[in-house]
Amino acid sequence: WASVEKGAKEEAAKLGVDLVLVAPPQEGDVQAQINQVEDQLAKGVDAIALAPGDPNAFAPIVDDAIKSGVPVVFVDTKGINEGVTFIGTNNMNGAELAAKFICDKTPKGSDVAILTGIESQSTALLRRDGAIKGFKNCGLNIVATQTAEWDTAKGRSVTESIILKNPNIKAIFASNDNMGLGAMQALKDADMNDVVVVGFDATPDAATSILKGVDSEEHTSELQSHHDLVCRLLLEKKKKKIKTQKNKKKTNNNNKN
């Protein structure tokens, strides 16, 4: 999300629009995110780019925003509202590529595991399904598919549980880098340094880890490297739409006069 913020700030400055950035204290804190969005709507924002923590919970809020004339775009996680533009990574293909990378480094028939995100989110489900497809295609044995809710600490504790039951595991796909870094710590604690760990997102911490040669996710780090461009496009599109709406209102008012 650091690249999202960077791209949004740079494009907002270029377009001359006021940008408000808000995020929940934790990625899984859906209620906090709902409160933040409702607060911004109450303050009269002109448009919203939203990565919904829970698409189902956000559906009525998004509908209300659109009815009140506030355009909404989903970023990274697709919501369930019809007719709302979604811009993000092809998560299923990305996860399948990650699985293929693991396949190329792991003997056929080896035990592997998948750490998933919050399973009410399309992003988590698509990454999970892409990894499952990739592993099955190359003949790896999936011994565990468990959620760690995008969280580093949970990634560590869930991995500890998985390796306790599956000491011969050879690789782990983590659906985001936070969980991957947690998995790496659990493996390090267990002195299992030959296990391949692949993450998804290319966060700064994960990139630093790669440069140090700690993990093996360089092939997946590129999958979301253009989030800054996504935000640039969103802001440009939304500014044009808002300008058009204001011109229409002005024209209507002139006609009335």
Side-chain angles (χ1 to χ4, degrees):
W1 294 107
S3 62
V4 175
E5 181 177 346
K6 179 177 179 292
K9 285 181 175 178
E10 290 177 357
E11 194 66 15
K14 187 188 300 182
L15 295 173
V17 300
D18 294 327
L19 176 68
V20 180
L21 292 166
V22 294
Q26 295 181 333
E27 195 161 358
D29 194 339
V30 175
Q31 188 56 54
Q33 190 185 29
I34 288 173
N35 293 342
Q36 290 171 335
V37 172
E38 289 179 335
D39 179 57
Q40 292 305 314
L41 287 169
K43 290 178 179 178
V45 293
D46 294 305
I48 294 177
L50 174 66
D54 184 335
N56 292 302
F58 268 98
I61 299 168
V62 171
D63 282 340
D64 289 344
I66 294 170
K67 288 176 183 176
S68 66
V70 178
V72 179
V73 170
F74 293 125
V75 182
D76 190 56
T77 298
K78 188 175 182 179
I80 63 172
N81 305 76
E82 292 185 7
V84 179
T85 300
F86 166 68
I87 300 179
T89 305
N90 189 322
N91 288 293
M92 187 163 184
N93 285 357
E96 191 174 350
L97 284 171
K100 184 180 183 303
F101 175 71
I102 289 175
C103 292
D104 292 342
K105 291 184 171 292
T106 310
K108 188 173 183 178
S110 296
D111 291 346
V112 296
I114 300 169
L115 300 181
T116 70
I118 297 171
E119 296 191 340
S120 61
Q121 297 177 357
S122 61
T123 303
L125 299 177
L126 289 168
R127 293 183 186 184
R128 179 201 66 191
D129 292 348
I132 290 173
K133 181 180 177 182
F135 287 145
K136 287 184 176 180
N137 285 345
C138 72
L140 293 181
N141 180 37
I142 303 171
V143 295
T145 302
Q146 293 182 226
T147 181
E149 299 182 340
W150 308 122
D151 183 72
T152 301
K154 290 180 181 178
R156 183 176 182 175
S157 62
V158 170
T159 300
E160 288 171 345
S161 175
I162 290 173
I163 61 178
L164 185 64
K165 297 174 183 177
N166 304 277
N168 295 320
I169 199 165
K170 297 300 180 186
I172 295 174
F173 168 67
S175 296
N176 80 339
D177 285 333
N178 291 340
M179 296 186 295
L181 292 169
M184 288 167 53
Q185 188 58 57
L187 292 165
K188 182 179 178 181
D189 293 342
D191 198 26
M192 296 174 67
N193 299 316
D194 60 340
V195 177
V196 177
V197 177
V198 175
F200 200 125
D201 279 341
T203 64
D205 287 343
T208 299
S209 178
I210 294 166
L211 291 173
K212 290 180 179 179
V214 178
D215 65 21
S216 304
E217 67 171 6
E218 60 266 17
H219 285 246
T220 57
S221 293
E222 299 174 3
L223 292 171
Q224 294 204 17
S225 60
H226 301 297
H227 264 153
D228 59 333
L229 178 59
V230 168
C231 275
R232 293 174 193 275
L233 293 171
L234 282 173
L235 284 168
E236 186 174 356
K237 179 179 179 182
K238 287 306 167 190
K239 185 178 181 182
K240 288 179 180 177
K241 186 168 185 178
I242 292 166
K243 187 175 181 180
T244 300
Q245 289 174 339
K246 288 181 177 178
N247 287 338
K248 285 182 179 178
K249 289 180 181 178
K250 186 176 181 180
T251 300
N252 290 336
N253 289 333
N254 288 338
N255 290 337
K256 289 178 182 179
N257 294 332

